[in-house]
């Protein structure tokens, strides 16, 4: 049974996939109400009210996935989640239209003073001259951050005959042309726009993107909107420019601290506000809840997620295709880690044949995870494997080759240690499963699973018999045995598999034979 905690207000209807699943026990409680049970949950679903901190993650020892029913994940410590191997997912598409519509509504309300007019009429005033507005027609709209919401807003603005200028360092000129917008530098956009709206995520680069210095470059009488995240427009700087009349008005849905209390922007009549309502429609809330509910269920049941922040996103089809190879590389990594008992500096993997056309970065993550699992005392998976490798100064890379050595697919891994290198080659054979076909330049053929002994010895008569007899005398049954050598009389290897773990004492006694060079126990 999977334990799922829904800590924020998320549409019940949208959560149906989880509520109806027979293998899920869903709890709807705030984190503070289940302090004693935090270690039991497999999944945590939040909106923006819950902040997923490192401290919370430490308490949620069993946590495998955090889902944000919405876009912005600035309330989740992604790095800390990744470090702990916790997948972070969001629902990036479900609230785009609602937020774009809300921004448009805020813009129209701002330039026509609708909220102020409403308050005035309800106060039994009839002051028409106080609320003379401005048309949107033929105005220049500056959109900072031209992703899903920014581009939906642009469509609506163009329908109102506005000229749309955008600033987005990740937007190509050809895409801007295709979408019929004018791509500018930030400074040029600030200089030309009558109305500026921000639609970037809140990151260290976008925090305070519009500040005292950049706002000084705007036209006198400019209007500003923030329906993305509090802090992208620096609140103190905006208050300053409102105070001196440089900024004519602002529409703010989001605040640096929510709910805002002593926020200076609340003191201006020309600032209109909403309590973070961008995504607050029935449609958006249903969409995002459904999106994360399906994804969480899929993930808990071992399937790929459709929108992850810290894991490559794979379709079900691709996931199924790579699965045999991810388990193969996990096993190759585990064999290598146990054979190569010394610090390693570099892991390099070469893909050839059918596997080379697949999502190899994911397969490499599995390799690293298999390798690191046998070296460190913390949970390693595809989410945190590359981060942990980097932390430990292990470089890794992948190559594609044409040389399939006659197989349909080949994965070769070379590990460089402080004193030597070690290699392993595996393949996945349809209907037969994974095979290791070469280890440290010895051709061999074994199924990488269970309890194994890897023995290097001199190639001379009697060694294999002696090992078999020694184990037989100890009542240890050999399940399979594979041998390999490079040349007659040189060094040779044996790979033995057993039905149970082989004790240290047995290994020590086998090592006494003079023909034995090394013995390595491998547990898969
Ligand atoms: N008020 C509300 O209720 C809602 C607010 N949001 C906020 O809106 C933000 C945007 O959402 P989407 O459009 O769905 O995201 P998106 O990821 O589709 O678009 C963000 C765009 O910002 C651009 N960007 C990133 N760094 C930038 C920088 N330094 N300067 C300029 N552009 C930059 C990216 O290239 C991207 O095109 C979210 O991150 C979220 O914080 C989203 C939904 C609801
Ligand atoms: O959950 C909400 O209503 C806020 C939505 C939001 O800000 C987001 O999706 O980034």
């Amino acid at each position: 049974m999977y334990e799922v905690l829904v800590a924020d207000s998320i549409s019940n209807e949208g959560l149906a996939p989880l509520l109806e699943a027979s293998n899920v026990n869903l709890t709807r409680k705030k984190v503070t109400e289940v302090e004693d049970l935090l270690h039991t949950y497999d999944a945590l679903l939040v909106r923006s009210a819950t902040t997923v901190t490192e401290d919370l993650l430490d308490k949620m020892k069993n946590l495998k996935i955090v889902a944000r029913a919405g876009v912005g994940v600035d309330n989740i410590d992604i790095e800390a989640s990744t470090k702990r191997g916790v997948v972070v997912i969001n629902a990036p598409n479900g609230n785009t239209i609602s937020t774009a519509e809300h921004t448009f509504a805020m813009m129209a309300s701002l330039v026509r003073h609708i909220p102020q007019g409403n308050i005035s009429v309800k106060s039994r005033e009839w002051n028409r001259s106080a609320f003379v507005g401005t048309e949107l027609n033929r105005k220049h709209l500056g959109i900072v951050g031209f992703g899903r919401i920014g581009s939906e807003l642009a469509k609506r603005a163009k329908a109102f005959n506005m000229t749309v200028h955008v600033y987005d360092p990740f937007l190509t000129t050809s895409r801007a042309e295709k979408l019929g917008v004018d791509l500018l530098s930030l400074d040029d956009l600030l200089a030309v726009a009558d109305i500026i709206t921000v639609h970037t995520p809140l990151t260290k680069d976008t925090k305070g993107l519009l500040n005292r210095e950049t706002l000084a470059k705007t036209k006198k009488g400019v209007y500003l909107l923030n329906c993305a995240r509090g802090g992208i427009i620096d609140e103190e700087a905006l208050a300053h420019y409102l105070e001196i009349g440089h900024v004519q008005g602002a529409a703010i849905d989001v605040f640096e601290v929510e709910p805002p209390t002593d926020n200076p922007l609340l003191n201006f009549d020309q600032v209109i506000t909403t309590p973070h309502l961008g995504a607050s429609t029935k449609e958006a809330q249903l969409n995002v809840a459904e999106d994360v509910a399906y994804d969480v269920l899929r993930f808990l049941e071992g399937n790929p997620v459709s929108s992850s922040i810290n894991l490559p996103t794979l379709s079900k089809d691709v996931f199924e295709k790579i699965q045999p190879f991810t388990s193969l590389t996990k096993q190759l990594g585990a064999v290598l880690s146990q054979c190569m008992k010394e610090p390693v500096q570099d892991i390099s993997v070469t893909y050839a044949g059918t596997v080379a056309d697949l999502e190899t970065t994911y397969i490499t993550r599995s390799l690293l995870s298999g390798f690191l699992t046998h070296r460190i005392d913390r949970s390693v998976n595809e989410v945190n494997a590359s981060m942990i490798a980097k932390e430990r100064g292990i470089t890794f890379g992948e190559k594609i080759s044409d040389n399939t050595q006659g197989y349909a697919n080949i994965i070769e891994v070379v590990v460089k240690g402080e004193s030597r290198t070690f290699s392993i080659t595996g393949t996945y054979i349809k209907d037969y499963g994974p095979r290791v076909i070469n280890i440290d330049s010895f051709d061999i053929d074994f199924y990488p699973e269970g309890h194994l002994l890897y023995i290097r010895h001199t190639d001379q008569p009697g060694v294999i018999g002696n090992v078999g007899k020694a184990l037989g005398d100890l009542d240890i049954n050999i399940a399979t045995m594979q041998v390999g050598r490079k040349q007659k009389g040189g060094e040779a290897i044996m790979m033995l598999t057993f039905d149970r773990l082989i004790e240290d004492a047995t290994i020590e006694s086998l090592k006494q034979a003079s023909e034995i060079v090394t013995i390595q126990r491998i547990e898969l």
Side-chain angles (χ1 to χ4, degrees):
M1 192 62 91
Y2 300 116
E3 295 295 332
V4 174
L5 177 65
V6 179
D8 293 343
S9 150
I10 296 177
S11 156
N12 226 24
E13 199 185 337
L15 291 177
L18 287 170
L19 288 165
E20 286 163 13
S22 56
N23 53 353
V24 168
N25 184 29
L26 188 143
T27 306
R28 296 196 69 125
K29 289 232 161 88
K30 285 190 188 137
V31 163
T32 47
E33 294 168 335
V34 285
E35 281 282 351
D36 293 347
L37 293 171
L38 288 175
H39 62 283
T40 63
Y41 297 106
D42 298 286
L44 170 67
L45 275 68
V46 299
R47 256 170 88 184
S48 51
T50 300
T51 306
V52 182
T53 58
E54 189 150 18
D55 182 46
L56 176 61
L57 290 164
D58 279 340
K59 291 178 183 158
M60 302 192 80
K61 296 240 176 295
N62 204 28
L63 193 66
K64 297 166 185 71
I65 182 165
V66 180
R68 159 67 159 114
V71 187
V73 285
D74 42 288
N75 56 323
I76 299 170
D77 189 332
I78 306 291
E79 197 179 322
S81 306
T82 306
K83 236 186 223 166
R84 286 160 181 76
V86 174
V87 177
V88 180
I89 63 164
N90 68 348
N93 300 306
N95 62 25
T96 301
I97 299 295
S98 290
T99 311
E101 285 184 359
H102 188 75
T103 309
F104 196 88
M106 290 287 265
M107 179 166 69
S109 303
L110 179 65
V111 297
R112 299 305 296 269
H113 313 300
I114 291 172
Q116 296 90 337
N118 174 52
I119 293 171
S120 167
V121 173
K122 287 184 175 166
S123 313
R124 309 294 183 269
E125 292 170 3
W126 194 253
N127 193 355
R128 296 175 66 215
S129 61
F131 303 116
V132 175
T134 311
E135 280 185 357
L136 294 176
N137 181 43
R138 298 177 61 187
K139 295 296 180 303
H140 294 265
L141 174 64
I143 301 181
V144 177
F146 200 63
R148 287 172 293 256
I149 296 168
S151 53
E152 283 299 328
L153 178 68
K155 286 186 203 163
R156 285 147 183 82
K158 282 161 63 131
F160 272 63
N161 201 30
M162 300 181 84
T163 304
V164 179
H165 310 274
V166 305
Y167 165 67
D168 188 322
F170 306 104
L171 184 71
T172 59
T173 321
S174 60
R175 182 154 164 78
E177 267 168 25
K178 196 168 155 215
L179 296 170
V181 294
D182 174 34
L183 181 59
L184 295 178
S185 68
L186 181 60
D187 280 2
D188 288 347
L189 179 144
L190 297 176
V192 77
D194 302 302
I195 303 169
I196 298 170
T197 179
V198 292
H199 296 283
T200 67
L202 178 67
T203 64
K204 59 178 183 1
D205 294 331
T206 61
K207 190 166 168 35
L209 186 64
L210 298 192
N211 53 34
R212 275 219 185 203
E213 199 185 319
T214 46
L215 286 175
K217 299 173 181 169
T218 58
K219 278 186 186 173
K220 182 163 170 35
V222 68
Y223 286 103
L224 292 173
L225 288 97
N226 187 356
C227 294
R229 274 298 177 276
I232 298 172
I233 305 180
D234 182 85
E235 290 174 347
E236 182 281 320
L238 175 57
H240 166 74
Y241 286 108
L242 283 159
E243 188 73 55
I244 63 170
H246 180 84
V247 172
Q248 198 173 160
I252 308 290
D253 181 47
V254 287
F255 299 85
E256 281 178 32
V257 176
E258 293 181 359
T261 46
D262 56 356
N263 189 309
L265 298 176
L266 303 185
N267 302 326
F268 293 93
D269 288 344
Q270 64 274 42
V271 173
I272 65 169
T273 61
T274 41
H276 201 146
L277 291 186
S280 289
T281 61
K282 288 191 194 99
E283 293 87 348
Q285 287 314 307
L286 179 61
N287 291 341
V288 294
E290 243 175 20
D291 289 350
V292 291
Y294 275 121
D295 247 4
V296 166
L297 190 58
R298 270 195 288 264
F299 176 80
L300 291 175
E301 290 177 343
N303 295 309
V305 291
S306 56
S307 178
S308 172
I309 305 295
N310 55 1
L311 201 59
T313 300
L314 305 173
S315 68
K316 190 168 171 22
D317 184 43
V318 171
F319 190 72
E320 275 166 11
K321 277 194 189 136
I322 70 165
Q323 220 163 23
F325 298 107
T326 54
S327 28
L328 170 63
T329 49
K330 211 168 254 181
Q331 288 157 321
L332 296 181
V335 173
L336 278 171
S337 188
Q338 294 170 80
C339 287
M340 182 82 172
K341 289 272 179 198
E342 64 172 66
V344 304
Q345 294 156 346
D346 183 70
I347 300 178
S348 149
V349 50
T350 305
Y351 296 98
T354 50
V355 64
D357 299 330
L358 300 175
E359 181 64 57
T360 51
T361 53
Y362 198 100
I363 304 173
T364 303
R365 281 175 180 240
S366 298
L367 168 77
L368 294 174
S369 131
F371 185 85
L372 292 165
T373 296
H374 289 269
R375 302 213 149 202
I376 62 171
D377 187 21
R378 71 192 231 216
S379 142
V380 192
N381 58 19
E382 283 78 1
V383 177
N384 57 2
S386 35
M387 185 189 224
I388 294 175
K390 280 180 199 152
E391 265 174 23
R392 282 160 191 259
I394 303 173
T395 52
F396 52 91
E398 44 179 77
K399 283 186 270 181
I400 302 294
S401 153
D402 294 334
N403 184 6
T404 60
Q405 300 174 34
Y407 293 89
N409 57 74
I410 284 279
I411 302 177
E412 187 193 7
V413 189
V414 180
V415 174
K416 202 187 286 170
E418 277 179 339
S419 63
R420 58 177 305 223
T421 56
F422 198 96
S423 67
I424 191 166
T425 307
T427 181
Y428 180 82
I429 304 172
K430 198 165 175 283
D431 301 329
Y432 286 92
R435 313 291 308 182
V436 173
I437 54 169
N438 187 284
I439 190 160
D440 210 15
S441 305
F442 291 97
D443 287 333
I444 195 159
D445 181 359
F446 71 94
Y447 183 67
E449 198 182 72
H451 312 284
L452 292 89
L453 279 189
Y454 170 60
I455 303 177
R456 289 179 80 121
H457 59 93
T458 45
D459 180 35
Q460 64 185 73
V463 182
I464 296 173
N466 289 346
V467 170
K469 177 158 186 328
L471 290 167
D473 289 348
L474 292 164
D475 202 23
I476 296 170
N477 184 39
I478 300 173
T480 67
M481 174 187 265
Q482 298 288 326
V483 293
R485 68 176 186 186
K486 286 182 206 165
Q487 79 223 27
K488 198 171 157 193
E491 213 178 306
I493 59 166
M494 273 184 241
M495 189 62 83
L496 313 180
T497 66
F498 302 91
D499 301 322
R500 64 170 178 82
L501 182 115
I502 303 302
E503 301 83 4
D504 290 347
T506 307
I507 295 174
E508 285 312 313
S509 75
L510 289 174
K511 275 185 185 165
Q512 300 313 314
S514 61
E515 326 75 75
I516 304 290
V517 181
T518 55
I519 303 188
Q520 204 60 60
R521 180 172 50 210
I522 302 170
E523 286 297 305
L524 297 174

